[in-house]
Amino acid sequence: MKAFLGMGLLGSNFVRALLKRGESVQVWNRTASKAQDLEKDGARAFVQAPDAVKGATEIHLTLKDDVAVDEVLKAAEPGLTPGAIIIDHTTTSKEGAIKRTQRWKEKGFTYLHAPVFMGPANALDGTGFMLLSGDESIINALSPALSKMTGKLLNFGTEVGKAAAMKLAGNAFLVCLTVGLKDTLTLSNSLDISVTDLLTLFNEWNPGAHVAARLKRMTGADHTQPSWELNMARKDTQLFLDATQQTGNHLVLMPAIANLMDEFISKGLGNYDWTVIGKREDEQ
C-alpha cells in the first residue's frame, strides 16, 4: 500500500499513473476536494493525514517547501506504520533534506529525498528525471519502483542532501534561462523580429547544445585564448541595451551583465575569453 500526500498537479498525476499500474493508493491534501477528485480514478481519499498513511509502507510527498514537508509529516506521524519509507519529491533546501533524513532515521523510519525535473505530463507518462542521493542500500532497494515513476533515475552518490542541491542548481538554470529568453524577446521586439523568426533561428542554431561545453570553458583555468573576447562581448551587450532603450523597452538581465563585464574589464581582462566572467572572486 502506498500513500501520497500533496495533490497538486504533479502529485495528482503521480497518483493517476500509480493507479493505472494497478497500485493501491491512499491520498491526502490540505484542500480535501483535490484528494477526493482522485477517488473516481480509484484512489482512497482521506481528510486527515494520519488516516491517509495508515497501513502504507511507502509514503510519497509532493508539497511546497521545507515548512510544508515538516508540518505534514508531523501531522501524519501518529498514523505511520513502523518502519515505513518516506519518499519526498518536494523541492527543498539541502539542509532541510539532511535534517529530515537524520530525524526520521532516529524515529525508526527511512526518509529519502527524491526531487524531480518533471512536469504534470511527465508524472502521468512516467518520463522526466528523478534525482537521488544517500544510503546506497536504500536507493538500490527503491530504484525498481521509482524507475516506473520517471524516465530516468539520476543517482548522485552517497552524500545526503546532494539530490536537493542538484535540484536547486538545475532550477536556478531554468529561472535564468527563462528570464534570459524574456530579454531576448524584448530585444527581438525592439528590432522588429517576430517570434516565428526567432524560433527559426533556434531550431537551426541550438545554443542549448553548447551548455556543457560552455560550462567546462567557464570553469577552466585558462581564459587567455579567447574565441570571443570580453571586450567584444561587452560591445554587443551595449548594442542590446541601446536598441531596447531606443524603443522604450527595458531589459532585465543585461544591465547586470554589462556591469559584471565592466568589472572584469577594469581588472585588465578585456582581451580574455568572455567566459572569464564566470570566475568567482577568489579565483580571479
Side-chain angles (χ1 to χ4, degrees):
M1 173 71 70
K2 290 180 172 63
F4 231 103
L5 310 180
M7 294 296 98
L9 295 175
L10 188 67
S12 295
N13 274 359
F14 267 137
V15 169
R16 290 187 178 98
L18 288 170
L19 293 169
K20 285 181 178 179
R21 293 195 295 271
E23 301 270 9
S24 297
V25 189
Q26 301 178 167
V27 297
W28 171 90
N29 194 73
R30 288 182 193 270
T31 303
S33 60
K34 289 186 176 181
Q36 291 163 354
D37 283 345
L38 288 163
E39 291 188 320
K40 64 179 180 294
D41 296 295
R44 293 185 63 200
F46 294 85
V47 175
Q48 303 298 326
D51 296 329
V53 299
K54 280 182 181 176
T57 56
E58 196 175 290
I59 297 95
H60 293 259
L61 308 174
T62 49
L63 300 168
K64 179 183 178 182
D65 52 23
D66 287 283
V67 172
V69 172
D70 288 336
E71 288 179 351
V72 169
L73 284 178
K74 182 178 180 180
E77 185 174 1
L80 288 174
T81 300
I85 298 169
I86 301 165
I87 304 171
D88 184 6
H89 305 292
T90 308
T91 299
T92 70
S93 67
K94 178 179 179 179
E95 295 78 9
I98 293 171
K99 289 178 180 178
R100 277 186 290 277
T101 301
Q102 182 60 35
R103 183 187 311 134
W104 287 96
K105 182 178 181 180
E106 292 170 354
K107 291 174 177 284
F109 300 93
T110 295
Y111 172 92
L112 179 67
H113 191 225
V116 298
F117 288 114
M118 298 171 66
N122 299 117
L124 188 61
D125 297 337
T127 58
F129 299 87
M130 186 177 293
L131 284 54
L132 305 171
S133 71
D135 189 315
E136 287 294 333
S137 63
I138 294 172
I139 291 174
N140 290 338
L142 293 175
S143 286
L146 294 178
S147 293
K148 296 176 183 179
M149 296 177 65
T150 186
K152 188 170 185 178
L153 296 178
L154 298 178
N155 185 347
F156 288 99
T158 59
E159 180 186 342
V160 175
K162 186 68 173 288
M166 296 303 298
K167 178 62 194 302
L168 292 177
N171 275 8
F173 179 82
L174 292 177
V175 169
C176 291
L177 174 63
T178 300
V179 181
L181 286 173
K182 174 181 171 60
D183 271 8
T184 302
L185 287 168
T186 300
L187 175 62
S188 298
N189 177 260
S190 301
L191 296 171
D192 296 323
I193 296 172
S194 70
V195 175
T196 300
D197 286 340
L198 200 58
L199 287 170
T200 298
L201 173 64
F202 287 152
N203 282 331
E204 295 298 326
W205 169 67
N206 177 14
H210 307 293
V211 169
R214 180 60 51 83
L215 183 59
K216 288 180 181 179
R217 190 174 183 89
M218 288 176 65
T219 55
D222 184 13
H223 289 80
T224 61
Q225 303 297 318
S227 62
W228 191 21
E229 287 188 357
L230 177 57
N231 284 327
M232 297 301 290
R234 177 63 180 90
K235 178 266 296 182
D236 285 8
T237 301
Q238 192 60 46
L239 291 174
F240 309 154
L241 293 167
D242 292 345
T244 52
Q245 288 170 359
Q246 288 167 9
T247 55
N249 292 322
H250 301 281
L251 299 173
V252 178
L253 287 182
M254 289 302 165
I257 293 170
N259 289 337
L260 181 62
M261 288 177 168
D262 288 342
E263 176 187 330
F264 277 79
I265 290 171
S266 71
K267 295 175 181 178
L269 302 176
N271 293 323
Y272 281 49
D273 190 87
W274 80 287
T275 57
V276 72
I277 65 173
K279 291 282 189 184
R280 302 191 308 266
E281 284 191 20
D282 59 353
E283 295 177 323
Q284 298 171 27

